[in-house]
Amino acid sequence: MKLIKLSAISAAILASTAALAAQPVIVVDSADAVVYEAEPVAVAYQAEPAYAYNADAGMVRNTTGAVVGGTKTFFQTAVNPAAVSAEVGTLGYGANVAWAMNDKTELQAGWAGGDVADLFGGDFDADDVNYEVDADFSNPYLGVQYRPVANWFTMGAGIIVPDNDIDVTANADGDFFELDGIQYNAAQTGNLEGSLEHRNKLAPYGTIGFRPNIGNNWGVFGEIGAAYMGKTDAKVRSTNPDADVNYTDEQGVTQTIKGSEVANIAEQELEDKDWLEWFPIVKLGATYRF
């Protein structure tokens, strides 16, 4: 009977202390020693995600390390970008990849190109001559997107490596090409055709824009700005370079000039124009964040 009473008391004590103790409890009476193993209390831990989404800024914060430092290597970071984007604009059609440096800053690498002459209307004027444009752009770039107040407003800066082919064809004004105030016979001159090339091999750029979110992963963006492409080198040729071209000088006297000389005058006007020395940047796109 004594053993039964002691066992009942011991069971009650164990029931009240099992949630607080993880060590074995030993109950001893004069007859036997009884060992009771208490069940450990379960504790749940929530793992910190590697990337925490910031819904206000539209950025991701890398909690395990940024591009430099932390526990991640540069290679691990490079193959795990924060976002990819598709874009269309004055630089062309393209895409970029972004890596989060911190809550406000992203490093971007991208490319934009193709035939975008129609975005400029397909032509432009240099003094009194209208030129049709045919363009094949290639604009790889590296830049930084910064959110100064950690919201949708962005400021961008970087470098473009332009490799843009710009071909031009002069449109005659009726029967004449008017160059530097002088009218040259268009039929005798033939077609005036050429190309333009900006001198800068590296073109710095700056933009401002917006990047609102439309979900946990998707967002849109728009940017405006400019890139300094530098002054323009032009090459113009006449399809009748050796033909005699008639014109009337400022004193009203009819003169003759070769077609190649008319092309040289047109070439100089194009270089003086410095077409798109400050190249406008306008782009729209969509972003997917990982």
Side-chain angles (χ1 to χ4, degrees), residues 275-290:
W275 187 64
L276 298 181
E277 178 180 0
W278 284 94
F279 195 96
I281 295 176
V282 179
K283 65 171 67 174
L284 297 171
T287 296
Y288 181 82
R289 298 190 177 282
F290 297 99

Side-chain angles (χ1 to χ4, degrees), residues 154-239:
T154 63
M155 301 173 64
I159 292 292
I160 300 171
V161 187
D163 184 15
N164 300 323
D165 296 327
I166 306 171
D167 296 323
V168 296
T169 302
N171 295 317
D173 183 9
D175 296 329
F176 301 96
F177 291 114
E178 186 168 343
L179 300 168
D180 200 19
I182 303 296
Q183 291 184 330
Y184 299 90
N185 187 287
Q188 295 169 341
T189 302
N191 294 332
L192 293 177
E193 302 171 347
S195 62
L196 300 176
E197 182 179 1
H198 292 101
R199 296 177 185 175
N200 284 4
K201 302 306 179 184
L202 295 175
Y205 74 86
T207 62
I208 58 172
F210 64 94
R211 288 179 176 262
N213 304 311
I214 56 175
N216 286 337
N217 298 103
W218 289 98
V220 294
F221 67 88
E223 294 178 42
I224 59 172
Y228 183 67
M229 295 289 189
K231 294 186 178 297
T232 303
D233 289 327
K235 293 182 180 179
V236 178
R237 61 189 178 277
S238 166
T239 56

Side-chain angles (χ1 to χ4, degrees), residues 51 58-62 66-67 72 74 76-87 95-102 104-111 141-147 154 205 211 217 221 223 286-290:
Y51 289 91
M59 300 281 286
V60 288
R61 181 176 182 177
N62 183 354
V67 171
K72 297 182 69 178
F74 182 86
Q76 288 173 322
T77 302
V79 298
N80 291 279
V84 294
S85 301
E87 64 183 59
N96 67 63
V97 181
W99 293 269
M101 306 290 287
N102 53 48
K104 295 182 178 181
T105 310
E106 281 184 333
L107 176 66
Q108 287 185 336
W111 177 90
Y141 62 88
L142 181 66
V144 174
Q145 283 289 330
Y146 179 63
R147 299 171 184 260
T154 63
Y205 74 86
R211 288 179 176 262
N217 298 103
F221 67 88
E223 294 178 42
T287 296
Y288 181 82
R289 298 190 177 282
F290 297 99

Side-chain angles (χ1 to χ4, degrees), residues 111 113-117 134-139 163-167:
W111 177 90
D115 185 359
V116 294
D134 183 21
D136 185 12
F137 283 6
S138 177
N139 291 297
D163 184 15
N164 300 323
D165 296 327
I166 306 171
D167 296 323

Side-chain angles (χ1 to χ4, degrees), residues 104-130:
K104 295 182 178 181
T105 310
E106 281 184 333
L107 176 66
Q108 287 185 336
W111 177 90
D115 185 359
V116 294
D118 288 342
L119 294 175
F120 302 101
D123 65 346
F124 71 96
D125 293 328
D127 289 338
D128 296 317
V129 180
N130 179 263

